[in-house]
Amino acid sequence: MPADPGAPLTPDRRVRVFISSTLQELATERKAARDAVTRLRLTPVMFELGARPHPPRELYRAYLAQSDVFVGIYWRRYGWVAPGEPVSGLEDEYLLSGDRPKLIYVKAADDREPRLEALLHRVQADDRAAYKPFDRAEELADLVADDLAVLLTERFAAPAGLSAGPSPGLRAGHLPVPPTGLVGRDAEVAVVIDLLARPDVRMVTVAGPGGIGKTRLALEVATRQSAAGRYDGVWFVDLAPVVDPGQVPGAIAAALGVRPEGSGPVLDLLVDRLRDRPVLLVLDNFEQVLPAASDVATLLTACPAVRILVTSRTALRVRAEHELPLAPLSVRPAVDLLVERARDVRPGFDPDPAALAAFGELARRLDGIPLALELAAARLRLLPPAQLLRRLGDRLDRPLDLAAGTVDLPDRQRTLRATIEWSYDLLSPSERALLDRLSVFTGAFSLAAAEVVAAAPGEDLLDTLSSLVAQSMVGPAGEDEDGEPRFGMLGTVRAYARERLEAGPERAPTLARLTTWLRNFAATAGPHLAGPDNRLWARRVDAELDDLRSMMRWAIRTDDAETVVRLAAPLFPYWWSSGLLAPMRQLADEAAALPSAAGLPPDAAALLLWARGMLRIAVGDVAAARPYLAQLRDATGELGDQRLRAHALTGLGLAEAAPGAKADLDQLDEAVATFRELGDDWGLAFALSARGQLALLAGDVSTAARLHTDALAAAERINSSHLQAQVLDLLGADAAAGGDLAGAWERFADAARVHGEWMDQEGSAYCLDGFAGLALAGGDAELAAELQGAARHAREVVGVAVWPGMRPLADALAAAVDATLGPAAAAEARARGGRRRIPEALEWAREATQPKPPPAGPPDTRAGSPAGAAQAGSRSGSGAGTEPPAEPGAPSGTRPQPAADGAS
């Protein structure tokens, strides 16, 4: 609920966010939340920020009355209860928050006070509140920022000049922050910006050799364009870790937060999401994936509002391309760069004429290549300019290392390589050895990973690594989820160091240590991905994803089926929630075809069967899944692995689904019992949703609702919002089949908020089908057809079909709509609905089907009637919980008019 219109507002009318609790135990966390609110250009409202001429209760009541959103942060203490008051101020604030959206964050604790524990139980039951756990203040800041950004897009009109968030269904744009300023490229930045502003220019490629500064220039352009607000979003896509051109659409989707699904091309999903969006995509390091230029051309053709800025060593040669060859720096800006970097390492440095002359000659000798200048400047910490020139000049005059096959390099590349060689040779033996071993990482790496993979026995890794950073051979790359720094290497430096690694004896043992590190990481992450801290661990997997994928491909090439299994199988919830099941199914099949697969240990062989079966279940290929799961069921008896057997039985119950079949129910009942005994809530929610679906299909609505209610509780215990949304779809179907249309709408509306946030096309399609059933039950067959069209479009984009078990119900709903409208009118209405996209279609469905006062003669809502066909909105309950929960607040309004063609 927005603030009372009679209450005073800030001059810029920003959304006001009340942050609960003044308890000192949460001072750090409340500051983190305040900073997150401020970064979004919203107004934090906190008890301690204002003057206090009134009693405390009057003050925080006045603050609450003027606030739009309530943020509650809780840990151990319940707070002091004043004399004569029934509750503490902490609980009173919550009670006074009324119908405002509530974002509730609870820090993990083993010794929480009983009254606070009781309050939190009530909060969890409040359907207006989003409830999330956290461990660290930094994690809380990310949660608050993410949740407020989504909430703004759903409930509030943005103030003038303030974007309420990214394009629907797109993650907020993220641009890396360079550690140093850009020197000497103002003219080129202006040229690129002017080109992008021209209506006839759709794509600009900044081309040039390695080290010339293409990435840094593109980042400067992107940053300025983002600040200028010319686009709906600006996204940076680093293609350096991508070696397969076919993975480029997936890399773009990952940067935008677009979730790949089903068996359809990811490019189709990108086109659907970006078709009408004025966005700028920065595609960095394109030279190694040039065959993907055709995908870029397709994206430009299908999405007229999109602009693309590419960096590449060579042009892409597509029709829309405008190429800007990037020249080296001239002497003056090259000298300026050297002076700036000298001051970075020697504060107060003031070059005299001799130093400037040395810098000028150095700039000429290094051909004005920015990376070469940066590497040379790193030595100014120890060497004065004249000595630096003399020492580097000697190296530039020597022949290159011909053993590396560099004799035919262009002059400027020979200069860069000579500079890298010189910088490398100046390293100590331990520094060179560490740099070589670190090159085995595909992407950024953590200190923990570096210690296991690259540190020599007895080596003080941090000291050696710090020296490499000081010499610009390694650079900072942000922080991990625990606040520990991550590091990376420029592509040219990594390529040189990897050449050295490949030529020496350290390659095999270093790769072996990396394999062990990643296998241990996957084994540790797996249980957490199915537990209450799944979101935190999903971000940890995100950070290691480049190396995980690279290692799995390497294992395929080197006939190491076990490594593929040990990396892929534990991370199944992550692949599912990230929409990566289709490529993982292909990888599992490739591993099974390796000669080494015949010699897998029994537990790894069983995991491979499970992966091949469940990955087929997940993409709807249930017939092909059956033999793998049946074989797994038999194998787990010998292994004694009860959890894996329960997963096999759940999969078989889905693959062999036949309404009322005794064997299917027995299998699922055993799986449910096993998961309960093991305390595995992810598996329990999965099995219960499947078991309840069979009950629903058999007409046993009360049993289905009971089972799905239990499934929802299990999903909530592990904070699995994605799984919660799918169970809510099933509960909506249960309610519709039982005649409770208002209850069905509430369930579908709750599910729609999560589906809309995460843009899972397949899940959204089932939810839209559920709303279509409600529309038909309410007498609006035209709306039902339009919603069916939106659902069909969502499935077509990702290449999925209605699950076989749900097909009869979906067909019944379609037949009822056709009978009411006539086939031609129904087809026309479905075509209109198909022009709507997620999440706009979900919001429209939610508003347009909101229950109204019942007519004089209530509609037929029996399970076998057209209204009962709303249960076509259910599905198997597949999914994993690594996403944040749905946002609070119930929708309102009446059915909007259909949008024009292409609206979203």
Side-chain angles (χ1 to χ4, degrees), residues 653 656-666 668-669 690-700:
E656 301 172 357
K662 183 83 165 74
D664 297 337
L665 299 184
D666 286 346
L668 285 168
D669 286 341
R691 176 65 178 84
Q693 182 179 314
L694 291 182
L696 178 61
L697 294 174
D700 189 351

Side-chain angles (χ1 to χ4, degrees), residues 572-591:
F572 180 81
Y574 177 86
W575 310 130
W576 203 320
S577 66
S578 301
L580 296 172
L581 292 179
M584 295 312 298
R585 179 180 67 170
Q586 178 182 348
L587 195 69
D589 289 345
E590 290 180 26

Side-chain angles (χ1 to χ4, degrees), residues 19 21-24 30 34 45-60 62-63 93:
I19 301 176
S21 167
T22 59
L23 297 179
Q24 288 303 306
R30 297 181 73 247
R34 174 187 174 183
V45 179
M46 303 172 75
F47 182 89
E48 65 269 33
L49 293 183
R52 301 177 185 172
H54 306 290
R57 191 168 192 266
E58 293 183 17
L59 190 61
Y60 66 68
Y63 282 0
E93 288 175 341

